[in-house]
Every structure is written in C-alpha cells, then in structure tokens.
Amino acid sequence: MPVSCAAFGCKNRRTSLSKHRGITFHQFPKDPGLRKAWILVVRRRDFKPSNKTVLCSSHFHDKDFDRTGQTVRLRERVIPSIFESLPDHLKKVPVKPRSTRTSRRAGEPSNDPVPVSKSPDPPKPSVSDHHYALDPDQIKIKLSEAQARVEHLERQLRNAKDRERRQKQAVKSLLDELKNTGVISDEFQLKLIEDSDDS
C-alpha cells in the first residue's frame, strides 16, 4: 500500500510516478520538541502521527533540503511551512513588518554564539478579538525552541565545569610534584591552592 502525505488535502503518495517527479517523503522527527512543532503546523485536529507518518517535499522550501548525498534529506531543525491545500481560515496571513528602530534591531543577526532557529514564516495574527492576545501555536513552538536552547546551554555549562575540575586537579598534581622535588615550600603551596580555590 503506498504511503500518503499526512498534510490536509495533499494528494501526494509514494509511488514510482511521484519518485519520477522528484517528490520525496520525510517521516516526522523523533525529537519531541520538533515533532510537536510539525504537528502544530499540520493543523489537523487530534492528529497523532505514528512512526511511519510522513510529509511530502511539497511542504518544504528548497533551502530546507540537503541534496549533497545520494539521498535527499531535510536539514536539522527544519519545520514544514508550505500548506497550499489548507482552507482559507487556517492559512497564515502575512503580517506587515514593524518599522520601529527597536523592531528592526531585533530582526538583525545577533552575536550570540548559540544559534537559534527562526520560523520561516512571519507570525500569524491571533484569532482572538484582541490585537494583543497571544497565539498558542506560536508560543508552543517558541517554548520548544527555548527548551532546546536551555538544554544546549546546560550541556555547555556541565562541560565547562568538568574542564575546570580537570584543570584544578592538574594544577594540584603539579604543585605536589614541585613540592616533592623541593622547588617550592609547603607554605607557598598552601597559598597557591587557596588562591586557586577562591577563583
């Protein structure tokens, strides 16, 4: 039985004809945060994809693909963004970009060493009566991206602490060796150890 694309209204199926037309199929990611983001953009009520559920390449931009090998793969952390077959009330409406100086600065690339993935589409307007209401779908996507960033930073912090511990052990062993060879006195060694513990 041919595999069908899970997007609403998409008729693409994995067949020899679709393969000839260059349509590829991509399983939902295993990463929980990214998987949740994919589920949100598919916009199907009570949708729970299985491990075999796929989306076709029609729902991604060309820049989202890595075509360097024999197999066409999606780049890391890519979220599908093209859904032409959605009903009009579910389609994202482009929002006019803000023109204040602060808003323009926020859109500029930062010098932050940790890359933060940006959504390829502008945020959709809220379906609420109020212009200041938050869109839950966008908040969930931003929350999952923020959680992934926090996990990455926590890993970096653990690694830095491990490196610091190893360096302190190396300094202590060097001081012991210098003391044993008579190069430094006991008092000087204690002062150096105290100074290294304070920093």
Side-chain angles (χ1 to χ4, degrees), residues 28-164:
F28 275 67
K30 293 189 180 4
D31 175 68
L34 189 58
R35 186 179 187 92
K36 194 169 189 178
W38 277 39
I39 292 169
L40 289 173
V41 297
V42 168
R43 300 185 60 103
R44 289 177 52 188
R45 183 178 290 166
D46 301 326
F47 177 63
K48 292 186 175 92
S50 71
N51 291 335
K52 301 291 183 189
T53 306
V54 295
L55 286 178
C56 70
S57 55
S58 302
H59 305 291
F60 298 91
H61 293 281
D62 285 338
K63 66 180 175 155
D64 296 339
F65 294 103
D66 178 8
R67 300 178 190 274
T68 56
Q70 291 179 336
T71 306
V72 176
R73 298 183 191 282
L74 289 173
R75 296 189 187 280
E76 283 189 37
R77 312 283 310 157
V78 169
I79 298 174
S81 57
I82 302 171
F83 294 95
E84 298 296 328
S85 56
L86 281 175
D88 290 338
H89 70 281
L90 292 177
K91 285 186 180 176
K92 293 182 179 181
V93 179
V95 177
K96 180 183 171 196
R98 294 183 178 184
S99 58
T100 65
R101 183 175 46 177
T102 306
S103 299
R104 284 192 304 269
R105 250 190 281 145
E108 294 174 358
S110 70
N111 294 333
D112 193 357
V114 180
V116 178
S117 61
K118 293 188 178 183
S119 177
D121 291 336
K124 66 177 185 185
S126 174
V127 290
S128 173
D129 294 339
H130 306 287
H131 69 280
Y132 52 82
L134 299 173
D135 178 23
D137 294 342
Q138 287 296 324
I139 296 299
K140 288 177 185 176
I141 291 171
K142 286 184 180 184
L143 179 62
S144 67
E145 289 174 351
Q147 287 172 334
R149 184 162 186 239
V150 165
E151 289 171 5
H152 177 74
L153 290 173
E154 285 174 344
R155 268 194 311 275
Q156 283 186 332
L157 179 62
R158 277 194 308 271
N159 291 340
K161 285 182 177 180
D162 288 343
R163 282 192 301 273
E164 180 185 13

Side-chain angles (χ1 to χ4, degrees), residues 169-179 184 189:
Q169 287 174 346
V171 166
K172 193 169 185 174
S173 67
L174 285 172
L175 288 173
D176 288 340
E177 188 178 321
L178 289 173
K179 179 187 162 208
I184 61 171
Q189 180 186 11

